[in-house]
Amino acid sequence: MTWHPHITVATIVEQNGRFLMVEESQAGQQVLNQPAGHLEPNESLQQAAIRETLEETGWEVALSAVVGIYLYTAPSNGVTYQRICFAARPVIHHPERPLDSDITAAHWLSRDELFAEPARWRSELVPRCIDDYLAGSLYSLDILRDPRP
């Protein structure tokens, strides 16, 4: 069996002490996650984070930093994900924009509200990324290198 990690991006968007979260369906259950998704062909990590955030929340964002790079193996299926988590600031909201089909809603939640419902976290990376962000674990976007043409 060949092992293939899946590359994903996630975005921490904070405004007035609240975090932009998505409510999505996973295995028939509603869970909370940062705007997140898979890297697509010919896309940079930054482009993927901006695209996923817009598609899942209707918010255009400006990336400001890398929060961290995480490895996570999902206990449900054994798939390993490499998550590059970004920090971003909200720029423009497009409330008329339809959200991705698996997204129920986008919510602004405080850390306390989110941490009060651990059974609803999509994975343990949800709180970990927020706590790393709040701890000031931020790295320059310059550490990322796009492929050369």
Side-chain angles (χ1 to χ4, degrees):
M1 180 164 124
T2 305
W3 179 69
H4 297 285
H6 295 253
I7 298 174
T8 63
V9 294
T11 309
I12 302 286
V13 184
E14 182 187 14
Q15 181 170 258
N16 301 321
R18 301 180 83 71
F19 297 93
L20 183 58
M21 305 297 296
V22 295
E23 183 177 353
E24 59 188 337
S25 181
Q26 180 190 34
Q29 182 178 349
Q30 293 300 111
V31 296
L32 297 169
N33 196 10
Q34 283 91 18
H38 292 268
L39 181 68
E40 293 185 354
N42 303 312
E43 184 176 53
S44 73
L45 294 166
Q46 296 96 318
Q47 289 168 335
I50 291 167
R51 175 187 52 77
E52 286 289 352
T53 303
L54 180 61
E55 290 176 354
E56 293 189 351
T57 69
W59 276 94
E60 290 183 39
V61 297
L63 302 180
S64 57
V66 175
V67 176
I69 300 171
Y70 305 82
L71 280 180
Y72 172 75
T73 301
S76 61
N77 60 13
V79 173
T80 299
Y81 298 91
Q82 180 182 43
R83 173 189 264 208
I84 297 85
C85 185
F86 292 90
R89 64 177 177 76
V91 176
I92 300 170
H93 187 224
H94 301 278
E96 73 289 348
R97 184 182 170 89
L99 305 181
D100 276 357
S101 60
D102 58 339
I103 303 297
T104 306
H107 305 286
W108 289 95
L109 300 174
S110 70
R111 182 190 181 280
D112 289 345
E113 289 169 330
L114 179 65
F115 278 63
E117 298 189 76
R120 293 196 60 209
W121 300 338
R122 170 127 189 198
S123 78
E124 67 216 30
L125 293 180
V126 172
R128 186 171 173 203
C129 289
I130 286 177
D131 278 348
D132 286 350
Y133 167 82
L134 289 171
S137 179
L138 303 173
Y139 304 92
S140 170
L141 294 170
D142 293 337
I143 67 170
L144 301 174
R145 301 286 188 257
D146 290 328
R148 293 186 180 179

